[in-house]
Amino acid sequence: MSKRSGAVSTSPGRSSRDGTVAHQQPAADKQKTLLSADVGHFSLVRAMHLADLITLMNGFCGVMSIFSSLRYCLGDPISFDNVWAALVFLPFGLFFDFFDGRVARWRNKSSLMGQELDSLADLISFGVAPAMVAFTLGLRSLLDTVALTFFVLCGLTRLARFNVTVSVLPKDASGKSKYFEGTPIPTSLGVDAIMAYWVYNRWIMEDLPFGAWFQGSVLEFHPVVLMFVLHGCLMTSRTIRIPKP
């Protein structure tokens, strides 16, 4: 979740995409007009702000990570180049996630479209892509995939809740929200770092830490998948409040 996310309103003093007071409402109105217009070529492209294009790069990194994971599943299992590529794309997604907010503040432009793009890109890069890497490394049983799906859905719910509640969260003197409710979804990079350590040590497939329990049965699962379940619970918690930097 970048600082860019927030709500745009026609009322003065409401939060912008970075959680601060919106000063460029005419720019948001212009974008809304272009997006809702019935005529005009490339109106969607013309409606985008520079920060929106940077947000798309976040989504690009997430999608490329997913494709890299798929290439590993279809390729040589002893060659880890595609796994490393899948993991390396994710920190770059975080870079673009932070950079779009800086550009939005620099240009004083905010929009509801930017807010939605930010959440969707975060879901791909920090939700679906890490789950795909985990599947690639060997978390492939039925219960493993259910747990990974739970993680992704928690991220989806957390992002939707943030978009709904950001305008009513307590603000500081500058109008920026004081804290996140639950851990932001980009903190899944911590899980990615753990998976990178597994790859470095070749702890994948049958060699995953703690092995597999109930092998050969419908209840087969890898205990390490529980860290994804825990992370999902932390993201959706309302009692955990992370101060905004």
Side-chain angles (χ1 to χ4, degrees):
M1 178 71 62
S2 76
K3 299 176 184 177
R4 185 177 174 218
S5 299
V8 177
S9 171
T10 55
S11 302
R14 294 293 293 276
S15 298
S16 69
R17 65 175 67 176
D18 62 343
T20 58
V21 177
H23 297 290
Q24 292 292 328
Q25 188 60 38
D29 291 340
K30 179 180 179 181
Q31 185 183 60
K32 186 182 297 184
T33 299
L34 286 171
L35 290 172
S36 60
D38 293 331
V39 295
H41 297 293
F42 305 108
S43 59
L44 176 60
V45 176
R46 290 187 287 114
M48 284 188 173
H49 300 153
L50 177 60
D52 299 334
L53 299 177
I54 296 173
T55 302
L56 290 178
M57 291 303 299
N58 176 11
F60 170 84
C61 290
V63 173
M64 289 301 294
S65 174
I66 294 171
F67 282 137
S68 296
S69 293
L70 292 173
R71 288 192 187 96
Y72 174 78
C73 291
L74 296 173
D76 185 354
I78 64 173
S79 175
F80 297 99
D81 291 346
N82 285 318
V83 176
W84 283 118
L87 289 166
V88 167
F89 272 115
L90 303 181
F92 281 102
L94 182 65
F95 167 77
F96 290 115
D97 190 36
F98 281 123
F99 190 47
D100 64 5
R102 290 183 177 273
V103 170
R105 291 191 297 276
W106 167 53
R107 293 174 61 87
N108 282 328
K109 288 190 175 182
S110 61
S111 69
L112 285 173
M113 182 174 180
Q115 170 187 322
E116 298 304 322
L117 282 175
D118 190 74
S119 292
L120 294 170
D122 282 356
L123 180 65
I124 296 172
S125 295
F126 310 121
V128 179
M132 181 60 72
V133 174
F135 179 89
T136 298
L137 298 184
L139 301 180
R140 301 183 181 183
S141 74
L142 176 61
L143 290 185
D144 288 340
T145 55
V146 169
L148 293 175
T149 301
F150 172 82
F151 162 74
V152 174
L153 294 180
C154 284
L156 174 62
T157 304
R158 188 256 181 273
L159 291 166
R161 182 184 67 187
F162 180 84
N163 287 346
V164 171
T165 62
V166 65
S167 62
V168 297
L169 290 175
K171 306 292 192 299
D172 59 19
S174 66
K176 185 174 70 173
S177 300
K178 291 183 178 180
Y179 55 79
F180 293 108
E181 285 186 337
T183 55
I185 193 170
T187 55
S188 65
L189 285 179
V191 178
D192 300 332
I194 293 174
M195 292 192 291
Y197 184 70
W198 295 348
V199 176
Y200 177 79
N201 289 283
R202 302 298 191 264
W203 297 343
I204 66 171
M205 301 301 180
E206 293 82 4
D207 298 320
L208 279 168
F210 306 110
W213 292 5
F214 308 110
Q215 292 189 48
S217 73
V218 70
L219 298 178
E220 178 180 347
F221 78 102
H222 295 81
V224 292
V225 80
L226 295 178
M227 70 179 180
F228 284 91
V229 175
L230 174 61
H231 193 278
C233 294
L234 293 175
M235 285 192 294
T236 54
S237 171
R238 294 203 63 182
T239 57
I240 295 176
R241 295 181 175 182
I242 309 297
K244 278 195 171 185

